[in-house]
Amino acid sequence: MGELKDLIAELPKAELHLHLEGSLEPEMMFELAKRNGVTLKYGSVEEIRAAYDFSNLQDFLDLYYQGMGVLLKEQDFYDLTSAYLSKATADNVRHVEVFFDPQAHMERGVSFETVLIGITRALEDGHIRHGITNKLIMCFLRHLSEEEAFALLEVATPHLAKIDGVGLDSSELGHPPSKFERVFKEAKALGLKLVAHAGEEGPPEYVWEALNLLKIDRIDHGNAAARDDELIDHLIETGMTLTMCPLSNQRLCVTPDLTENPLAHLLRSGVRVTVNSDDPSYFGGYVNDNYTAIADALDLSMPEIVMLARNSFIGSFLSDVDKEAALDQIDAVFEQHRH
Ligand code: ADE
Ligand code: ZN
């Protein structure tokens, strides 16, 4: 495992499934609560961590929305994003495509601009400081209405130079992709990339809907696809990328036993699978922790780990030239480890 761990650490990687609000570490939650005069339900960092014991997605979401209540000012969003970029850099992540949930802040009275400027300022500084490149994906909360999603898109429209794509997250069951068909069509017409969480807790039908109705460019999670052979064939034929998150699946009881995670089956069937951290501060690990845990649990080989890193760039929204440069670097690291 030592050798695999070194390989994982040294490989350049892209992270394609990361909720910035899910990278809020308890220490920063405390610091921001103090700075902003917000009262937390918890007395210590240890108490917060102890509360992170989830039975399902909704259990987690309840704490996730509560935790982000300390984010009020532009500087808070800047600090949150900067801290994540430092962690990603430490894992040799060279490119990130990050999500944010504006509706969850706007309903607390924080303006869209406050959130967006804080995040994008940190992304620009992260690029200068660490050389890490980025894309920004604005998510619609699927437990809210189609009308509210359209309202968000309208608020965001003057700022589209800073936003690369839209996504769909929050409570999956009972909120199928079809609910957002029209708003995704509008987002596409505005030139935005499209992604959606599908098949995390939901059935394979939700993945089909995300593909056929929302016409997404990439699937977030997609675990349920492993239960549908026709869907697996379709994903392979269309070269679709899945942004999978093993530690998230474990902690949300989607696949409590990592050895049963469908990542191996999908990868070995030929689906373009990637490894990501989702909400690292809540699920106990950033990118390299996810790679290490899944490599160990599924007995992944060195070429399979290299393929996961390659997939992370191939499935990104980078230009072909940038993808090729990253793939060359990955191949060089692999060469060193082969000898
Ligand atoms: N929001 C943050 N993390 C999420 C996840 N794993 N699934 C759905 N919505 C989310
Ligand atoms: Zn997610």
Side-chain angles (χ1 to χ4, degrees), residues 11 18 32 41 47 62 86 92 95 107 135 194 197 241 284 290 336:
L11 282 169
L18 181 284
L32 295 182
K41 264 185 25 186
E47 261 183 56
D62 293 343
S86 295
N92 210 12
H95 175 70
E107 73 179 15
K135 302 280 176 193
L194 310 177
H197 283 53
T241 299
N290 274 272
Q336 283 170 4

Side-chain angles (χ1 to χ4, degrees), residues 17 19 21-22 57 60-61 64-65 99 101 141-142 168-172 197 200 221 245 248 252 278-279 283:
H17 186 154
H19 302 263
E21 297 90 340
L57 173 59
F60 152 70
L61 289 170
Y64 168 78
Y65 293 123
F99 302 133
D101 285 332
L141 298 182
R142 69 200 305 157
L168 185 63
D169 65 0
S170 196
S171 321
E172 186 178 15
H197 283 53
E200 181 184 16
H221 294 297
C245 309
S248 163
L252 300 186
D278 205 4
D279 302 283
F283 303 146

